[in-house]
């Protein structure tokens, strides 16, 4: 199976530790530091293991991005029946994780690098960030929103529109400002709560709105 099709849950703890080292190398030293020799040395593993696990450098980057995106938790389909309270809690978890990941040094470094490479012919980092990063997060968050609708807790005609409303309420222009060097939020929990409360007031059914005083 190609690394491009692997989900982060399929990586072993040892592979995840290697990816963490690779991400830190990128933050500390930029693109030039991200070599197979450098990653192998930092992670105390062989280059042969890197090639076996992740393939070439693009495969390693793909795995790094997918692993980073997996830190934004959403909703696992484990048979759980959503309630107004559990829906709120799941969306809050997503919002907090999203803000913390986007504001982190790793995501900022990856995005700045992709922007810097955007003019280059054949540059794949921007595409990888979209396909293995943003779209992975979008897909899992959309599953939560769809589950909320099936449970009679959310109402909308267009799931994509509802999700992007939620994303906009959470992130606003914060990520752009942070990419330009502005410090991140001091209180991500408060921003997450405000965004989720606004989203549930817009899209929540009577079941959810009846719980809003307790949730807000």
């Amino acid at each position: 199976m190609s690394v491009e099709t692997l989900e982060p849950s399929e990586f072993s703890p040892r592979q995840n530790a290697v990816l963490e080292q690779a991400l830190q190398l990128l933050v500390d030293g930029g693109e030039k530091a991200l070599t197979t020799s450098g990653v192998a040395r930092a992670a105390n593993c062989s280059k042969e293991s890197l090639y076996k696990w992740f393939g070439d450098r693009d495969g390693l980057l793909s795995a790094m991005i997918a692993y980073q995106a997996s830190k934004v938790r959403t909703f696992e389909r484990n048979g759980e029946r959503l309630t107004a309270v559990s829906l709120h809690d799941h969306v809050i978890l997503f919002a907090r994780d999203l803000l913390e990941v986007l504001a982190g040094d790793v995501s900022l470094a990856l995005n700045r690098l992709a922007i810097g490479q955007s003019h280059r012919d054949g540059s794949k980092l921007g595409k990888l960030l979209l396909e293995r990063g943003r779209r992975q997060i979008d897909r899992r968050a959309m599953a939560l929103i769809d589950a909320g609708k099936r449970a009679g807790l959310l109402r909308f005609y267009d799931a994509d529109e509802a999700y992007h409303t939620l994303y906009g309420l959470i992130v606003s222009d914060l990520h752009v400002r942070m990419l330009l060097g502005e410090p991140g939020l001091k209180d991500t929990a408060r921003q997450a709560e405000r965004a989720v409360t606004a989203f549930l007031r817009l899209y929540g059914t009577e079941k959810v709105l009846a719980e809003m005083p307790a949730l807000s």
Side-chain angles (χ1 to χ4, degrees), residues 25-26 29-35 57 61 113 117 120:
L25 274 179
L26 181 67
E31 182 183 9
K32 293 181 179 179
L34 193 64
T35 64
R57 189 172 181 274
L61 272 171
L113 182 57
Q117 292 183 356
R120 299 184 193 173

Side-chain angles (χ1 to χ4, degrees), residues 98-160:
L98 181 63
L99 287 169
E100 289 174 8
V101 166
L102 290 179
D105 290 340
V106 169
S107 291
L108 291 174
L110 281 167
N111 279 276
R112 285 170 179 150
L113 182 57
I115 293 168
Q117 292 183 356
S118 61
H119 66 285
R120 299 184 193 173
D121 291 336
S123 176
K124 296 182 178 180
L125 183 55
K127 183 178 179 181
L128 286 173
L129 279 172
L130 286 173
E131 293 182 350
R132 296 289 282 162
R134 174 65 187 269
R135 286 172 189 160
Q136 177 183 307
I137 292 171
D138 293 350
R139 183 176 65 252
R140 290 186 282 111
M142 288 278 285
L144 170 59
I145 288 177
D146 286 335
K149 183 176 183 180
R150 290 196 302 273
L153 301 171
L154 298 175
R155 54 187 170 196
F156 49 79
Y157 294 107
D158 187 327
D160 186 70

Side-chain angles (χ1 to χ4, degrees), residues 22-198:
L23 288 167
Q24 193 58 51
L25 274 179
L26 181 67
V27 171
D28 293 340
E31 182 183 9
K32 293 181 179 179
L34 193 64
T35 64
T36 53
S37 296
V39 173
R41 187 165 50 251
N44 194 26
C45 69
S46 67
K47 289 194 288 185
E48 290 75 17
S49 292
L50 289 178
Y51 286 118
K52 178 182 177 181
W53 292 336
F54 308 116
D56 59 13
R57 189 172 181 274
D58 285 343
L60 176 61
L61 272 171
S62 176
M64 290 164 60
I65 292 166
Y67 172 69
Q68 180 70 3
S70 73
K71 296 176 183 178
V72 181
R73 296 164 290 175
T74 50
F75 172 68
E76 301 298 331
R77 297 176 180 176
N78 56 5
E80 173 189 354
R81 181 173 178 80
L82 286 174
T83 65
V85 173
S86 64
L87 173 66
H88 169 270
D89 291 347
H90 280 299
V91 184
I92 283 288
L93 180 67
F94 167 73
R96 288 183 178 178
D97 283 357
L98 181 63
L99 287 169
E100 289 174 8
V101 166
L102 290 179
D105 290 340
V106 169
S107 291
L108 291 174
L110 281 167
N111 279 276
R112 285 170 179 150
L113 182 57
I115 293 168
Q117 292 183 356
S118 61
H119 66 285
R120 299 184 193 173
D121 291 336
S123 176
K124 296 182 178 180
L125 183 55
K127 183 178 179 181
L128 286 173
L129 279 172
L130 286 173
E131 293 182 350
R132 296 289 282 162
R134 174 65 187 269
R135 286 172 189 160
Q136 177 183 307
I137 292 171
D138 293 350
R139 183 176 65 252
R140 290 186 282 111
M142 288 278 285
L144 170 59
I145 288 177
D146 286 335
K149 183 176 183 180
R150 290 196 302 273
L153 301 171
L154 298 175
R155 54 187 170 196
F156 49 79
Y157 294 107
D158 187 327
D160 186 70
E161 179 182 289
Y163 167 66
H164 283 92
T165 298
L166 172 62
Y167 192 97
L169 287 168
I170 297 168
V171 178
S172 183
D173 65 343
L174 290 171
H175 197 218
V176 172
R177 300 205 319 260
M178 286 183 286
L179 285 170
L180 294 174
E182 184 174 304
L185 290 172
K186 293 182 179 180
D187 189 351
T188 56
R190 182 181 179 187
Q191 171 66 13
E193 186 68 54
R194 290 172 61 185
V196 172
T197 296

